[in-house]
PDB file of all heavy atoms in Angstrom:
ATOM      1  N   ALA A  40      -5.617   4.802  -9.882  1.00  0.00           N
ATOM      2  CA  ALA A  40      -6.704   4.990 -10.808  1.00  0.00           C
ATOM      3  C   ALA A  40      -7.957   5.541 -10.175  1.00  0.00           C
ATOM      4  O   ALA A  40      -8.864   6.076 -10.849  1.00  0.00           O
ATOM      5  CB  ALA A  40      -7.019   3.632 -11.444  1.00  0.00           C
ATOM      6  N   THR A  41      -8.061   5.396  -8.787  1.00  0.00           N
ATOM      7  CA  THR A  41      -9.293   5.815  -8.137  1.00  0.00           C
ATOM      8  C   THR A  41      -9.033   6.843  -7.030  1.00  0.00           C
ATOM      9  O   THR A  41      -9.970   7.390  -6.476  1.00  0.00           O
ATOM     10  CB  THR A  41      -9.983   4.639  -7.503  1.00  0.00           C
ATOM     11  OG1 THR A  41      -9.070   4.068  -6.454  1.00  0.00           O
ATOM     12  CG2 THR A  41     -10.390   3.515  -8.512  1.00  0.00           C
ATOM     13  N   SER A  42      -7.769   7.011  -6.667  1.00  0.00           N
ATOM     14  CA  SER A  42      -7.353   7.791  -5.536  1.00  0.00           C
ATOM     15  C   SER A  42      -7.838   7.208  -4.259  1.00  0.00           C
ATOM     16  O   SER A  42      -7.809   7.933  -3.200  1.00  0.00           O
ATOM     17  CB  SER A  42      -7.737   9.289  -5.683  1.00  0.00           C
ATOM     18  OG  SER A  42      -7.233   9.845  -6.897  1.00  0.00           O
ATOM     19  N   GLU A  43      -8.361   6.039  -4.225  1.00  0.00           N
ATOM     20  CA  GLU A  43      -8.852   5.513  -3.025  1.00  0.00           C
ATOM     21  C   GLU A  43      -7.716   4.715  -2.284  1.00  0.00           C
ATOM     22  O   GLU A  43      -6.879   4.140  -2.923  1.00  0.00           O
ATOM     23  CB  GLU A  43      -9.988   4.504  -3.303  1.00  0.00           C
ATOM     24  CG  GLU A  43     -11.275   5.348  -3.515  1.00  0.00           C
ATOM     25  CD  GLU A  43     -12.315   4.560  -4.192  1.00  0.00           C
ATOM     26  OE1 GLU A  43     -12.207   3.307  -4.394  1.00  0.00           O
ATOM     27  OE2 GLU A  43     -13.344   5.142  -4.680  1.00  0.00           O
ATOM     28  N   GLU A  44      -7.941   4.631  -0.963  1.00  0.00           N
ATOM     29  CA  GLU A  44      -6.915   3.827  -0.172  1.00  0.00           C
ATOM     30  C   GLU A  44      -7.156   2.396  -0.412  1.00  0.00           C
ATOM     31  O   GLU A  44      -8.280   1.881  -0.308  1.00  0.00           O
ATOM     32  CB  GLU A  44      -7.019   4.137   1.305  1.00  0.00           C
ATOM     33  CG  GLU A  44      -6.063   3.489   2.146  1.00  0.00           C
ATOM     34  CD  GLU A  44      -6.116   3.806   3.609  1.00  0.00           C
ATOM     35  OE1 GLU A  44      -6.934   3.136   4.322  1.00  0.00           O
ATOM     36  OE2 GLU A  44      -5.386   4.660   4.062  1.00  0.00           O
ATOM     37  N   LEU A  45      -6.012   1.664  -0.704  1.00  0.00           N
ATOM     38  CA  LEU A  45      -6.125   0.189  -0.926  1.00  0.00           C
ATOM     39  C   LEU A  45      -5.939  -0.488   0.360  1.00  0.00           C
ATOM     40  O   LEU A  45      -6.535  -1.554   0.645  1.00  0.00           O
ATOM     41  CB  LEU A  45      -4.931  -0.192  -1.883  1.00  0.00           C
ATOM     42  CG  LEU A  45      -5.151  -0.181  -3.293  1.00  0.00           C
ATOM     43  CD1 LEU A  45      -3.884  -0.536  -3.957  1.00  0.00           C
ATOM     44  CD2 LEU A  45      -6.238  -1.161  -3.727  1.00  0.00           C
ATOM     45  N   GLY A  46      -5.080   0.066   1.194  1.00  0.00           N
ATOM     46  CA  GLY A  46      -4.788  -0.605   2.467  1.00  0.00           C
ATOM     47  C   GLY A  46      -3.612   0.063   3.235  1.00  0.00           C
ATOM     48  O   GLY A  46      -3.140   1.119   2.683  1.00  0.00           O
ATOM     49  N   GLN A  47      -3.250  -0.461   4.368  1.00  0.00           N
ATOM     50  CA  GLN A  47      -2.234   0.221   5.133  1.00  0.00           C
ATOM     51  C   GLN A  47      -1.234  -0.802   5.414  1.00  0.00           C
ATOM     52  O   GLN A  47      -1.487  -1.976   5.818  1.00  0.00           O
ATOM     53  CB  GLN A  47      -2.826   0.718   6.448  1.00  0.00           C
ATOM     54  CG  GLN A  47      -3.860   1.858   6.183  1.00  0.00           C
ATOM     55  CD  GLN A  47      -4.138   2.691   7.411  1.00  0.00           C
ATOM     56  OE1 GLN A  47      -3.766   2.281   8.598  1.00  0.00           O
ATOM     57  NE2 GLN A  47      -4.860   3.786   7.242  1.00  0.00           N
ATOM     58  N   VAL A  48       0.043  -0.348   5.300  1.00  0.00           N
ATOM     59  CA  VAL A  48       1.190  -1.222   5.461  1.00  0.00           C
ATOM     60  C   VAL A  48       2.116  -0.799   6.616  1.00  0.00           C
ATOM     61  O   VAL A  48       2.272   0.429   6.852  1.00  0.00           O
ATOM     62  CB  VAL A  48       2.021  -1.341   4.136  1.00  0.00           C
ATOM     63  CG1 VAL A  48       3.299  -2.079   4.306  1.00  0.00           C
ATOM     64  CG2 VAL A  48       1.108  -2.047   3.060  1.00  0.00           C
ATOM     65  N   ALA A  49       2.669  -1.688   7.303  1.00  0.00           N
ATOM     66  CA  ALA A  49       3.616  -1.399   8.475  1.00  0.00           C
ATOM     67  C   ALA A  49       4.678  -0.482   8.001  1.00  0.00           C
ATOM     68  O   ALA A  49       5.309  -0.701   6.961  1.00  0.00           O
ATOM     69  CB  ALA A  49       4.137  -2.678   9.025  1.00  0.00           C
ATOM     70  N   ASP A  50       4.849   0.619   8.825  1.00  0.00           N
ATOM     71  CA  ASP A  50       5.806   1.660   8.447  1.00  0.00           C
ATOM     72  C   ASP A  50       7.101   1.415   9.348  1.00  0.00           C
ATOM     73  O   ASP A  50       7.186   2.037  10.440  1.00  0.00           O
ATOM     74  CB  ASP A  50       5.170   2.988   8.749  1.00  0.00           C
ATOM     75  CG  ASP A  50       5.904   4.131   8.166  1.00  0.00           C
ATOM     76  OD1 ASP A  50       6.964   3.986   7.555  1.00  0.00           O
ATOM     77  OD2 ASP A  50       5.315   5.310   8.284  1.00  0.00           O
ATOM     78  N   LEU A  51       7.999   0.617   8.936  1.00  0.00           N
ATOM     79  CA  LEU A  51       9.146   0.241   9.744  1.00  0.00           C
ATOM     80  C   LEU A  51      10.123   1.316   9.886  1.00  0.00           C
ATOM     81  O   LEU A  51      10.187   2.227   8.976  1.00  0.00           O
ATOM     82  CB  LEU A  51       9.793  -1.049   9.215  1.00  0.00           C
ATOM     83  CG  LEU A  51       9.178  -2.412   9.679  1.00  0.00           C
ATOM     84  CD1 LEU A  51       7.717  -2.582   9.450  1.00  0.00           C
ATOM     85  CD2 LEU A  51       9.904  -3.550   9.119  1.00  0.00           C
ATOM     86  N   GLY A  52      10.934   1.255  10.947  1.00  0.00           N
ATOM     87  CA  GLY A  52      11.870   2.327  11.145  1.00  0.00           C
ATOM     88  C   GLY A  52      13.313   1.789  11.211  1.00  0.00           C
ATOM     89  O   GLY A  52      13.688   0.626  10.877  1.00  0.00           O
ATOM     90  N   LEU A  53      14.171   2.659  11.811  1.00  0.00           N
ATOM     91  CA  LEU A  53      15.675   2.390  11.837  1.00  0.00           C
ATOM     92  C   LEU A  53      15.935   1.138  12.630  1.00  0.00           C
ATOM     93  O   LEU A  53      16.711   0.271  12.126  1.00  0.00           O
ATOM     94  CB  LEU A  53      16.356   3.624  12.510  1.00  0.00           C
ATOM     95  CG  LEU A  53      17.803   3.567  12.651  1.00  0.00           C
ATOM     96  CD1 LEU A  53      18.460   3.516  11.233  1.00  0.00           C
ATOM     97  CD2 LEU A  53      18.339   4.863  13.335  1.00  0.00           C
ATOM     98  N   ALA A  54      15.381   0.960  13.808  1.00  0.00           N
ATOM     99  CA  ALA A  54      15.736  -0.216  14.640  1.00  0.00           C
ATOM    100  C   ALA A  54      15.466  -1.512  13.902  1.00  0.00           C
ATOM    101  O   ALA A  54      16.261  -2.497  13.920  1.00  0.00           O
ATOM    102  CB  ALA A  54      14.964  -0.122  15.990  1.00  0.00           C
ATOM    103  N   GLN A  55      14.258  -1.523  13.219  1.00  0.00           N
ATOM    104  CA  GLN A  55      13.899  -2.748  12.577  1.00  0.00           C
ATOM    105  C   GLN A  55      14.758  -3.000  11.288  1.00  0.00           C
ATOM    106  O   GLN A  55      14.970  -4.124  10.882  1.00  0.00           O
ATOM    107  CB  GLN A  55      12.398  -2.784  12.233  1.00  0.00           C
ATOM    108  CG  GLN A  55      11.600  -3.042  13.479  1.00  0.00           C
ATOM    109  CD  GLN A  55      10.125  -2.912  13.370  1.00  0.00           C
ATOM    110  OE1 GLN A  55       9.580  -1.948  12.885  1.00  0.00           O
ATOM    111  NE2 GLN A  55       9.397  -4.043  13.582  1.00  0.00           N
ATOM    112  N   THR A  56      15.211  -1.902  10.774  1.00  0.00           N
ATOM    113  CA  THR A  56      16.158  -1.990   9.567  1.00  0.00           C
ATOM    114  C   THR A  56      17.449  -2.686  10.045  1.00  0.00           C
ATOM    115  O   THR A  56      17.955  -3.628   9.391  1.00  0.00           O
ATOM    116  CB  THR A  56      16.410  -0.668   9.015  1.00  0.00           C
ATOM    117  OG1 THR A  56      15.189   0.055   8.717  1.00  0.00           O
ATOM    118  CG2 THR A  56      17.212  -0.743   7.725  1.00  0.00           C
TER     119      THR A  56
END
Side-chain angles (χ1 to χ4, degrees):
T41 62
S42 301
E43 281 161 11
E44 183 179 85
L45 272 174
Q47 295 197 350
V48 170
D50 195 355
L51 271 56
L53 182 61
Q55 286 175 301
T56 308

